[in-house]
Amino acid sequence: MIRALLLCCLVFLVPAEPCRKLCQATSNSKKESARSQGVCDGICVSGSHCSQPCPPGTEGSMGFACRKQQWHKVTDTCCTLNAFNIFEQDLQSARPFGGGEKVNEYAGNAETISDKLMQRCPTDLSCVIRNIEQSPRLPGNIAFIVQLLRNISTALMAGVDEAQMHSYSSMANHVLNSRSISNWTFIPERNSSCVLLHSVNSFARKLLVNKSLINISNTFIHTMGSIIAADGEGKNFTFSMRINDTSRAVTGKVLVGREELQMAPSTIKIVSIAFPTLGAILEASLLENVTVNGLVLSVILPPKLRRISLLFEKISKSEERKTQCVGWDHLESRWVGHACEMVEESPQHALCQCQPSKLVTSFSILMSRHTLVSPVLTYITYIGLGVSICSLIICLSIEALVWGQVTKTEISYLRHLCIANVAATLLMADVWFIVASFLSGPVTHHNGCVAVTFFVHFFYLSVFFWMLAKALLILYGVLIVFHTLPKSVLVASLFSVGYGCPLIIAVITVSVTEPGKGYLRPEACWLNWDMTRALLAFVIPALAIVVVNLVAITLVIIKTQRVATGSSMFQEVRAILRISKNIAILTPLLGLTWGFGIATIIDSSSLVFHIIFSLLNAFQGFFILVFGTILDPKIREALKGRVTSAKWNSRVSENLSSNFSRHPTNGPS
């Protein structure tokens, strides 16, 4: 710019001083403009926000938030489209001087522009196509076009012909471009992508379809419509579209079978729309942590046709990720699966059977980002749970059998009370975990999944809190902390900690997160992480208890070392063995193996961490049986006494029987 002004000065022989001042003013203006368009100049304090104007030639503002001592853009309303440049006619000359506020208000009103559009070119809506397609894909422009599409869809009450649908698709195609996906994240109205999807579906529902096939193909939206006879052989709509400029084409098919057609009237209208990028746009704008792994297919059917098959080619062919058939619920603005089920799946494709309705007309497949579907993990989990459940049942049976012999003292009574409740709560948690595994996920059995997740959460928390009670009892036995408390108070305290605290945490978690549909994960019956961080209601108490139990083990080791101090080498070896035995017993009982769960959270894609975590925890019931029951000398002694007593009673009975047979009682003579 400065060089151009200098050249102008030389050509037109402008005096040097005025030219120098003009160049200086231009340079200062450029610096000032650059400063005003950048990030905030103030000190970045975590949680603070600021706003900056948009670059010259655009209207709106940009919002920034301070994160990790750096300013990050969070909103952007910069827009170039308005009522004076969206139409093909050049209206700049018609813009009046003065009254800028009124003009700007009119320019940003998409509803007013849609009314004017319906007046200028109602037959084909083509008078805004060229300028929309030439506009930059700024967040403000995207929001403007989405609102315009919504108003057009609402304004057109009568039938939509092919020309209008073609123009409407061209407008939508511009904002669905793969290069605009990142800009959707800065639109303040997070539901703009939902509005776009609903508007396109509503507009296509009014499409007039004759006997000939309607095929309107754009790069990022493809619409097909057809009239099908009820006695026909069926109809397939096949789409093949690219996700971006460099990717290969991904296919999707809408399959209308002969059996479904027999339930319909004589002829039916079917309209189907394919979106290759809309899944990523929904994910970006709504900040969802689920990945759409195929085309988004919208299907508009008559009410009597309630079932349809959809074949999706997977974008990512990873076999380690779980796939779900889902539909988009317009009312809840989220992916749900109560109207879809998986029929068949391969590494390349997924065949879904769905039931469209007024609220659910768009379908796709989701790929979980972090769920590992591995046969090794499955075998370890179910075999380990089976062994764990059997071990826990045996553990509780042994405790009931020898309860009177091993609970004669107060400390032994409380210790076995904790062991029995740890086994009982872990048994219930394992049973509910198996019930949860039989449910296909919250998208199919939402209410049942909520109930199962609540009980799994509650009982696993109870396991940890009873483990905490066990750790406190170890300190009680070693350090004699609660020697002044009566037995009844200790028992009431243990039950309050073991069941009261988990119940409070579980109830608060479900009551806070479930109203906003943030209690469950999309792919499994377990606590949500991506939306509400509900999983923290399990992780934080569990890890905190693990830390407390580590402290308890440390104190026990210190106490044992003090006893061994000053002893001979043989006694020191025995002390080390005793310490190792304490650790071997305490580790499974106090849940220290759950500390490996941290590794699965930090690196959720590592199969090794998941296998170690599954091995240690799936067999925890077996560990409790071995280290908490079988290796307890008092329990073994009590069992030995029971066996000896049973043998003695058996021998006495046999002797009495033999004596009776040898010397029968003589009857009266």
Side-chain angles (χ1 to χ4, degrees):
M1 180 67 181
I2 297 175
R3 292 181 179 178
L5 288 172
L6 287 173
L7 181 61
C8 180
C9 292
L10 291 174
V11 172
F12 295 100
L13 299 178
V14 179
E17 186 64 19
C19 186
R20 185 184 63 81
K21 291 182 179 180
L22 179 61
C23 294
Q24 184 178 0
T26 304
S27 178
N28 293 337
S29 175
K30 184 177 181 181
K31 292 179 181 179
E32 183 69 24
S33 176
R35 184 170 67 247
S36 64
Q37 298 159 25
V39 297
C40 303
D41 296 330
I43 300 175
C44 183
V45 181
S46 181
S48 59
H49 295 77
C50 72
S51 179
Q52 290 284 66
C54 292
T58 61
E59 298 177 357
S61 62
M62 298 178 290
F64 295 85
C66 182
R67 298 171 183 168
K68 298 180 180 180
Q69 299 181 347
Q70 288 186 347
W71 291 108
H72 296 271
K73 185 167 70 171
V74 291
T75 60
D76 189 334
T77 61
C78 298
C79 181
T80 60
L81 291 174
N82 53 49
F84 304 104
N85 59 20
I86 192 172
F87 294 99
E88 291 187 2
Q89 293 84 352
D90 185 10
L91 299 184
Q92 296 294 333
S93 59
R95 179 181 295 191
F97 292 95
E101 295 181 358
K102 185 175 180 180
V103 170
N104 290 336
E105 180 181 358
Y106 170 75
N109 193 335
E111 184 176 358
T112 306
I113 296 173
S114 65
D115 293 338
K116 197 168 187 177
L117 172 65
M118 300 305 297
Q119 296 175 3
R120 285 177 171 268
C121 49
T123 56
D124 57 2
L125 310 177
S126 63
C127 55
V128 295
I129 300 300
R130 184 169 62 90
N131 288 345
I132 285 180
E133 292 180 340
Q134 292 177 356
S135 65
R137 298 180 185 89
L138 302 175
N141 282 346
I142 294 174
F144 181 89
I145 295 171
V146 169
Q147 189 62 34
L148 179 61
L149 291 171
R150 178 183 184 179
N151 295 333
I152 293 173
S153 177
T154 305
L156 270 177
M157 303 299 295
V160 174
D161 59 26
E162 188 171 352
Q164 292 172 329
M165 190 68 205
H166 192 281
S167 299
Y168 195 88
S169 298
S170 298
M171 289 184 252
N173 183 75
H174 184 69
V175 297
L176 289 169
N177 193 294
S178 58
R179 298 177 182 177
S180 68
I181 294 177
S182 60
N183 285 336
W184 282 85
T185 60
F186 302 119
I187 300 176
E189 296 79 13
R190 292 296 181 189
N191 67 333
S192 294
S193 55
C194 312
V195 172
L196 174 64
L197 177 58
H198 181 66
S199 300
V200 173
N201 290 342
S202 299
F203 194 81
R205 190 179 295 275
K206 307 169 189 176
L207 181 61
L208 300 174
V209 181
N210 299 319
K211 293 183 179 181
S212 59
L213 174 69
I214 291 181
N215 190 348
I216 303 172
S217 178
N218 297 92
T219 306
F220 300 102
I221 178 173
H222 189 176
T223 304
M224 289 187 183
S226 179
I227 296 293
I228 305 175
D231 56 353
E233 296 295 328
K235 182 68 177 181
N236 298 339
F237 296 101
T238 302
F239 301 93
S240 181
M241 308 181 75
R242 294 181 182 272
I243 305 300
N244 51 52
D245 296 337
T246 59
S247 67
R248 62 176 184 81
V250 178
T251 61
K253 292 184 178 181
V254 178
L255 310 173
V256 185
R258 183 176 181 179
E259 295 180 358
E260 286 79 12
L261 287 176
Q262 292 177 353
M263 303 174 60
S266 57
T267 58
I268 59 172
K269 180 186 76 172
I270 297 180
V271 178
S272 184
I273 312 168
F275 307 88
T277 58
L278 186 57
I281 291 173
L282 288 168
E283 176 186 350
S285 60
L286 296 176
L287 304 179
E288 291 279 350
N289 201 20
V290 293
T291 302
V292 175
N293 199 27
L295 299 178
V296 175
L297 298 178
S298 293
V299 184
I300 292 105
L301 301 173
K304 292 186 178 181
L305 195 61
R306 299 180 178 180
R307 184 177 297 176
I308 198 166
S309 298
L310 302 170
L311 180 64
F312 297 95
E313 180 184 357
K314 296 180 181 179
I315 299 173
S316 174
K317 308 288 193 297
S318 174
E319 298 183 12
E320 296 182 349
R321 304 299 177 90
K322 187 177 181 180
T323 302
Q324 285 182 308
C325 299
V326 292
W328 182 262
D329 192 309
H330 169 66
L331 190 62
E332 298 183 5
S333 296
R334 67 185 183 98
W335 291 109
V336 297
H338 53 76
C340 275
E341 61 179 356
M342 180 77 71
V343 176
E344 185 179 346
E345 183 182 5
S346 69
Q348 289 78 29
H349 296 88
L351 179 61
C352 306
Q353 193 172 71
C354 302
Q355 297 177 350
S357 62
K358 290 184 178 180
L359 296 178
V360 183
T361 56
S362 301
F363 307 92
S364 190
I365 53 174
L366 295 184
M367 177 185 68
S368 174
R369 286 185 171 181
H370 304 305
T371 300
L372 289 172
V373 181
S374 171
V376 177
L377 285 176
T378 303
Y379 294 145
I380 290 174
T381 300
Y382 285 103
I383 293 174
L385 283 175
V387 174
S388 180
I389 289 174
C390 294
S391 301
L392 291 170
I393 293 174
I394 296 173
C395 177
L396 291 173
S397 301
I398 293 175
E399 287 288 339
L401 189 64
V402 300
W403 185 264
Q405 287 77 21
V406 298
T407 58
K408 294 180 179 180
T409 63
E410 178 180 306
I411 184 65
S412 63
Y413 175 84
L414 296 175
R415 175 176 174 271
H416 284 278
L417 180 67
C418 288
I419 292 176
N421 278 278
V422 166
T425 52
L426 184 58
L427 175 62
M428 294 303 299
D430 289 343
V431 170
W432 280 108
F433 183 87
I434 292 177
V435 173
S437 67
F438 280 100
L439 297 178
S440 58
V443 293
T444 306
H445 306 92
H446 183 79
N447 294 332
C449 210
V450 169
V452 169
T453 301
F454 174 83
F455 285 114
V456 172
H457 185 203
F458 168 71
F459 281 113
Y460 271 125
L461 279 179
S462 297
V463 172
F464 277 96
F465 277 95
W466 275 106
M467 289 176 178
L468 174 63
K470 173 67 178 174
L472 296 177
L473 278 178
I474 289 175
L475 295 179
Y476 172 48
V478 174
L479 304 178
I480 314 298
V481 177
F482 307 115
H483 62 281
T484 60
L485 297 177
K487 179 180 176 181
S488 59
V489 174
L490 284 173
V491 172
S493 301
L494 290 177
F495 273 89
S496 298
V497 172
Y499 292 112
C501 294
L503 182 62
I504 292 173
I505 295 173
V507 170
I508 291 176
T509 303
V510 68
S511 60
V512 170
T513 58
E514 175 55 23
K517 304 300 180 183
Y519 183 59
L520 303 173
R521 294 190 178 191
E523 74 278 1
C525 295
W526 186 227
L527 299 174
N528 185 281
W529 171 254
D530 300 318
M531 272 183 64
T532 60
R533 300 294 192 264
L535 184 61
L536 292 177
F538 175 76
V539 173
I540 292 177
L543 296 184
I545 290 173
V546 168
V547 172
V548 173
N549 293 345
L550 280 172
V551 174
I553 284 182
T554 304
L555 293 175
V556 171
I557 292 175
I558 293 174
K559 184 70 174 179
T560 310
Q561 285 179 337
R562 287 178 180 176
V563 174
T565 302
S567 59
S568 62
M569 183 64 68
F570 177 76
Q571 290 176 336
E572 290 180 358
V573 171
R574 291 187 64 184
I576 293 174
L577 291 175
R578 187 163 59 251
I579 295 172
S580 301
K581 183 179 179 181
N582 289 333
I583 295 175
I585 293 174
L586 292 174
T587 297
L589 289 182
L590 303 181
L592 298 181
T593 52
W594 284 82
F596 283 95
I598 302 175
T600 62
I601 295 175
I602 296 174
D603 188 4
S604 59
S605 62
S606 175
L607 184 60
V608 176
F609 287 152
H610 282 80
I611 290 177
I612 295 174
F613 182 69
S614 298
L615 278 172
L616 291 174
N617 291 281
F619 289 91
Q620 197 165 16
F622 176 74
F623 296 153
I624 290 175
L625 173 64
V626 173
F627 297 117
T629 303
I630 296 177
L631 294 182
D632 190 328
K634 292 185 178 180
I635 291 181
R636 292 205 307 270
E637 184 179 349
L639 284 174
K640 185 177 180 181
R642 297 277 298 192
V643 172
T644 303
S645 177
K647 289 182 178 179
W648 174 257
N649 293 333
S650 176
R651 288 179 181 178
V652 170
S653 299
E654 289 178 359
N655 291 333
L656 291 174
S657 299
S658 61
N659 291 334
F660 180 82
S661 61
R662 290 178 183 178
H663 307 285
T665 303
N666 294 327
S669 54

